């Protein structure tokens, strides 16, 4: 069957269309996305601003037209931290429902983590052993660890690259501000480290998300044009060398790096600081990259449900 997934993230809203059936690898048929940056279209109290709501409603309406044109049989729609944490999140969901008919389901942080873990497990298979998965988005950072398809631990922290960048003035930021941010990031991750490691030593460390892919590309990983099956990884020492470079660059200068879009260049530094902190605290020499993440996890869970 042909499935569609609308993913409302903090930075990007994305419609992914896949062809899938029982026992088969879901094959991407088309993709439509836009950088709405809902996390930046906010009022003083963190509510999604009217402009952000209008942009979201408009994009969801576009997705419905594409879904019909593409012959989608089942359309799923979910939202993450940008809507989950907004004081007017329920009102935003109601507006989308009333004006488009689409019922956006809000995922909790742990749900995000579990579904991403499922996607990673299916991609690498049982031979990967016990996994530790790191996923960083615009609004949150997720950790999941375990040996089955359901992780033994799934955690979410408010350490998204976009969220931290909003509190980091300057282009490039001041050294003192970076020092304060570094301390905050590492203390927050260290606080949950025991919860992640107590379930057992991982056999494989995996990273997902656009931020981690961009950092890997900057440090030498193959470009996306070489396909999803090329081995890609993010090396900790290469990242350690990169962070000071990023700290002295403007957002415009970062956008000239390979694999870094202008829309994400400003938050690349904060994202790199978070990923390096996680790799240091969990003593991860390298993160293997997985091309599947939350969207694919949602699709796989839906297929499992239909199967049952």
């Amino acid at each position: 069957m042909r499935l569609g997934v609308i993913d409302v993230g903090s930075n990007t809203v994305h419609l992914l269309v896949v062809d899938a059936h029982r026992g088969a690898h879901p094959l991407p048929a088309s993709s439509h996305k836009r950088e709405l940056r809902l996390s930046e279209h906010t009022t003083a109290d963190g509510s999604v601003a009217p402009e952000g709501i209008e942009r979201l409603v408009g994009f969801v309406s576009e997705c419905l037209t594409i879904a019909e044109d593409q012959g989608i049989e089942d359309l799923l729609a979910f939202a993450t931290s940008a809507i989950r944490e907004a004081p007017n999140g329920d009102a935003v969901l109601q507006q989308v429902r009333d004006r488009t008919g689409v019922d956006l389901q809000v995922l909790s942080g742990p749900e995000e983590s579990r579904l991403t873990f499922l996607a990673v497990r299916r991609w690498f298979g049982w031979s990967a052993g016990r996994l530790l998965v790191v996923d960083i988005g615009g609004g949150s950072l997720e950790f999941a660890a375990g040996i089955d398809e359901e992780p033994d631990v799934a955690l979410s922290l408010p350490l998204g690259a976009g969220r931290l960048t909003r509190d980091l003035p300057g282009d490039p930021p001041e050294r003192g501000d970076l020092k304060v941010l570094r301390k905050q990031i590492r203390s927050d991750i260290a606080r949950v480290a025991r919860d992640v490691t107590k379930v057992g030593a991982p056999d494989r460390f995996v990273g997902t998300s656009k931020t981690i892919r961009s950092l890997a590309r900057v440090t030498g990983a193959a470009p996306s044009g070489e396909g999803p099956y090329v081995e890609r990884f993010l090396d900790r020492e290469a990242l350690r060398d990169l962070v000071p470079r990023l700290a002295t660059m403007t957002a415009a200068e970062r956008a000239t790096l390979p694999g870094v879009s202008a829309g994400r260049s400003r938050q690349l530094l904060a994202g790199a600081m978070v990923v390096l902190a996680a790799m240091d605290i969990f003593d991860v020499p390298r993160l293997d990259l997985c091309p599947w993440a939350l969207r694919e996890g949602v699709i796989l869970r839906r297929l499992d449900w239909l199967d049952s």
Side-chain angles (χ1 to χ4, degrees), residues 183-210:
K183 181 178 180 180
Q184 173 202 334
I185 291 169
R186 290 179 177 250
S187 62
D188 286 352
I189 294 175
R191 199 172 297 121
V192 301
R194 173 61 182 160
D195 294 327
V196 176
T197 57
K198 69 182 181 182
V199 300
D203 299 301
R204 191 164 198 162
F205 302 95
V206 179
T208 68
S209 79
K210 177 63 174 175

Side-chain angles (χ1 to χ4, degrees), residues 29 37 105 115 126 128-129 149 184 186-187 238 260 267 270 297:
R37 299 196 169 277
Q105 299 298 309
L115 288 166
W126 298 114
E149 289 197 337
Q184 173 202 334
R186 290 179 177 250
S187 62
V260 180
Q267 66 185 46

Side-chain angles (χ1 to χ4, degrees), residues 173-189:
E174 296 291 334
R175 181 177 297 181
D177 291 331
L178 290 174
K179 186 175 181 180
V180 171
L181 180 62
R182 183 182 188 276
K183 181 178 180 180
Q184 173 202 334
I185 291 169
R186 290 179 177 250
S187 62
D188 286 352
I189 294 175

Side-chain angles (χ1 to χ4, degrees), residues 7-8 77-85 93 104-117 135 139-144 150 154-158 163 294 298 301:
D7 172 3
V8 179
F78 67 89
T80 54
S81 62
I83 304 298
R84 182 172 67 230
E85 298 172 8
L93 296 175
L104 279 174
Q105 299 298 309
V106 177
L107 299 179
S108 69
E111 284 174 329
E112 280 190 61
S113 187
R114 284 194 292 270
L115 288 166
T116 300
F117 186 89
D135 178 73
S140 59
L141 167 71
E142 276 76 45
F143 294 115
E150 180 70 19
L155 302 173
S156 180
L157 298 174
R163 179 198 298 271
L294 178 58
V298 170
R301 180 61 53 82

Side-chain angles (χ1 to χ4, degrees), residues 66-89:
I66 294 170
E68 182 176 342
D69 291 344
Q70 293 284 323
I72 290 174
E73 300 171 63
D74 192 10
L75 181 64
L76 314 173
F78 67 89
T80 54
S81 62
I83 304 298
R84 182 172 67 230
E85 298 172 8
N88 66 335

Side-chain angles (χ1 to χ4, degrees), residues 41-43 45-50 53 82-95:
H41 291 283
T42 57
T43 61
D45 70 345
S47 296
V48 180
I53 297 173
I83 304 298
R84 182 172 67 230
E85 298 172 8
N88 66 335
D90 289 341
V92 174
L93 296 175
Q94 190 64 51
Q95 283 219 42

Side-chain angles (χ1 to χ4, degrees), residues 214-223 231-234 238 258:
S214 295
L215 293 170
R217 179 74 184 96
V218 172
T219 55
E231 181 185 46
R232 295 177 176 89
F233 62 87
L234 177 60

